[in-house]
Amino acid sequence: MAKKIAVVIREDPRQTHRPVEALRIALGLVAGTHDTTVVLLNEAVRLLSEDLDDVIDMEILEKYLPSIEQLEIPFIVQADADRSLIQPQFAVQYQTAEYIRHFLTDVDRTLVF
């Protein structure tokens, strides 16, 4: 039975490899039968930026981004995030912190990075 899953990424991809690994995991979940949404908090929005030079594991991320775009993986980003960092081709919803808290209580599973 398909689960509703949230992958929450809150770490800075310029400081650790974990955000890129989290996106790889989310991509794998979407390829299955799970209803997966990625929540990007704080500096994690940089994963969807055009400027990936400072991102750790940038080469790996660049391989996954076309699939993430093609599969239209849904992203939720805080409404007050710097929208200029995010490329427009990704399926991004801008939501309040309250909405995100409520969303996370409604999913079956949450993975936090």
Side-chain angles (χ1 to χ4, degrees):
M1 174 180 228
K3 301 282 186 196
K4 189 172 180 183
I5 299 175
V7 177
V8 180
I9 306 174
R10 59 186 178 168
E11 295 184 78
D12 187 339
R14 300 169 300 173
Q15 303 295 320
T16 178
H17 71 281
R18 289 173 48 90
V20 172
E21 181 65 13
L23 273 183
R24 184 192 67 77
I25 291 168
L27 185 58
L29 291 168
V30 168
T33 59
H34 300 293
D35 177 13
T36 305
T37 301
V38 178
V39 179
L40 299 177
L41 302 175
N42 307 318
E43 295 299 320
V45 299
R46 294 182 179 280
L47 291 169
L48 302 181
S49 173
E50 284 186 17
D51 181 18
L52 300 174
D53 291 339
D54 294 337
V55 171
I56 295 175
D57 288 343
M58 171 194 63
E59 305 82 21
I60 295 170
L61 177 59
E62 287 177 329
K63 285 194 278 186
Y64 294 131
L65 287 177
S67 296
I68 290 168
E69 179 185 353
Q70 180 182 5
L71 292 170
E72 297 180 349
I73 293 176
F75 289 90
I76 296 176
V77 174
Q78 286 182 291
D80 60 351
D82 185 355
R83 295 179 187 208
S84 68
L85 290 175
I86 300 173
Q87 297 180 65
Q89 68 266 30
F90 295 105
V92 177
Q93 297 177 43
Y94 295 93
Q95 299 292 347
T96 64
E98 180 64 29
Y99 175 91
I100 292 170
R101 278 191 294 276
H102 180 69
F103 173 79
L104 293 176
T105 62
D106 285 344
V107 297
D108 297 312
R109 303 283 188 272
T110 306
L111 288 79
V112 181
F113 295 87

